Amino acid sequence: MSRTKVIIDTDPGVDDAVAILLALASDELEVLAITTVTGNVDVALTTLNARRLVQLAKRPDVIVARGCAQALAGPLGEFEGVHGSDGLGDLEWDEPTIDVDHDDAVEVMRRLIESDPLSIVAIGPLTNLAVLLERHPGIDRRVEKVVIMGGASFEGNVTPAAEFNIWADPEAAQKVFAAHWPITFMPLDLTHQATLGDADLQFLRELGSEVGRRTADMLEPYAAFHDQWYGSRDVYMHDAAAVYELIDPTAIVKQGVRVAVETGGQHSRGATHIDRRRGHAASSTRVGLTLDNARFRELVRERLSRFD
Ligand code: RIB
Ligand code: CA
């Protein structure tokens, strides 16, 4: 089986953590690097969390590179954090021994893209990808595929209009969606179909592995947040849905679309206006429509069981 070479661009983040562990456990993927960005928490913390997760997975072969500290338009406004003050549910961790690369995230992306055909799965704000496009015009044509967790067809989360990853850097998202690389993106209406429930958290605890235990511990406060805001402890696995697309491109039903990102608007900044008319059926920008949650849950359980 030929493995898909992947860079994971991320803001861990509890759901990012599940996505990263899922990717690292999946033989269909060869994770070359994890590049970090400010999003759920500041890039200093998202980078520490990426190091923690690579160490937890016992994968010192994976490059960790620190990325952009703020959006193209400047620092983020205040928003309600849902991942704990450290971004991973505020558990106790030993200081990771795995260090960051001497190059920053954008330089690591350039280095890897220029040496191998690869895909990027972007599960945080898109600042690093936008800076990559600015610093290296034409590099988008060398990337096989970009899978993005971001956007919303109908209702946002950080505001009624906007999903967090796009809202956090709309100017970056606008550049990324306008580039020449093929994009598949998973908006909230898709990722809300990808959940883990209490039975899955119990399953993870009963694995007896540190990965299982820590994943369940990270997800506990995330489940409490979902219960408070959405009326169910089932947790949205936004970012793992994007990784799922790379693991099994046949699993998620998709459609060709055109996307416009709102960068103005008093209440609509960060909204994604998705044109689903049939005239865009052959577009290289595709949106995720539906997935089978039972199949998704089984995959996550089976893959996370692989860690000893
Ligand atoms: O809106 C969900 C997205 O925002 C996820 O990537 C989550 O980790 C946060 O970054
Ligand atoms: Ca994320």
Side-chain angles (χ1 to χ4, degrees):
M1 163 180 59
S2 72
R3 304 175 74 193
T4 301
K5 295 182 189 292
V6 180
I7 294 172
I8 303 174
D9 193 61
T10 177
D11 62 334
V14 170
D15 63 319
D16 303 68
V18 177
I20 289 166
L21 292 168
L22 175 63
L24 294 176
S26 295
D27 298 333
E28 298 86 346
L29 307 181
E30 182 183 353
V31 179
L32 302 177
I34 295 175
T35 54
T36 62
V37 66
T38 285
N40 287 315
V41 288
D42 179 80
V43 70
L45 276 173
T46 59
T47 307
L48 173 61
N49 291 337
R51 292 169 57 215
R52 285 168 166 171
L53 292 165
V54 168
Q55 182 117 350
L56 174 64
K58 302 186 176 74
R59 290 293 302 276
D61 57 297
V62 176
I63 296 168
V64 177
R66 176 174 171 145
C68 295
Q70 64 182 38
L72 298 186
L76 276 183
E78 282 302 309
F79 61 91
E80 180 74 31
V82 300
H83 299 263
S85 55
D86 77 343
L88 281 189
D90 296 321
L91 309 184
E92 292 295 319
W93 295 81
D94 294 335
E95 181 66 18
T97 54
I98 290 174
D99 206 344
V100 290
D101 197 272
H102 52 78
D103 284 330
D104 70 17
V106 172
E107 180 53 20
V108 165
M109 285 176 165
R110 180 208 60 79
R111 220 168 71 195
L112 294 173
I113 291 166
E114 289 186 354
S115 66
D116 278 303
L118 59 80
S119 294
I120 299 173
V121 56
I123 53 178
L126 296 169
T127 317
N128 289 339
L129 274 69
V131 172
L132 175 73
L133 292 168
E134 284 173 353
R135 280 193 205 163
H136 306 289
I139 200 163
D140 46 338
R141 295 181 187 279
R142 303 182 64 158
V143 175
E144 283 193 326
K145 181 175 181 180
V146 178
V147 182
I148 295 168
M149 189 281 133
S153 301
F154 310 107
E155 186 180 11
N157 51 12
V158 66
T159 72
E163 177 278 326
F164 176 79
N165 288 340
I166 307 301
W167 172 88
D169 197 340
E171 286 72 20
Q174 190 173 54
K175 288 178 187 293
V176 168
F177 276 102
H180 293 94
W181 40 35
I183 288 177
T184 300
F185 71 106
M186 304 299 164
L188 292 179
D189 24 301
L190 184 280
T191 64
H192 281 192
Q193 300 172 46
T195 66
L196 295 180
D198 281 328
D200 302 300
L201 271 65
Q202 188 57 26
F203 174 88
L204 292 169
R205 289 193 189 292
E206 289 170 1
L207 285 175
S209 65
E210 195 185 0
V211 165
R213 192 170 47 254
R214 282 191 170 270
T215 304
D217 287 349
M218 278 185 251
L219 287 172
E220 186 50 47
Y222 197 51
F225 161 80
H226 281 73
D227 201 20
Q228 181 189 0
W229 284 85
Y230 296 100
S232 162
R233 281 177 49 85
D234 285 358
V235 291
Y236 296 137
M237 290 285 91
H238 305 289
D239 296 335
V243 168
Y244 188 26
E245 168 64 14
L246 281 177
I247 292 169
D248 180 358
T250 69
I252 297 175
V253 177
K254 296 173 281 287
Q255 173 185 341
V257 294
R258 186 176 64 185
V259 185
V261 177
E262 185 69 63
T263 55
Q266 185 184 355
H267 301 292
S268 58
R269 178 168 162 80
T272 45
H273 303 291
I274 304 172
D275 186 344
R276 296 163 178 267
R277 289 174 298 172
R278 287 182 53 78
H280 301 304
S283 166
S284 64
T285 299
R286 306 180 68 67
V287 66
L289 300 174
T290 58
L291 67 75
D292 177 328
N293 198 26
R295 272 180 63 187
F296 171 79
R297 288 186 173 187
E298 183 46 45
L299 176 87
V300 173
R301 287 187 177 205
E302 190 276 319
R303 295 293 157 96
L304 267 57
S305 302
R306 295 186 181 187
F307 292 101
D308 54 25

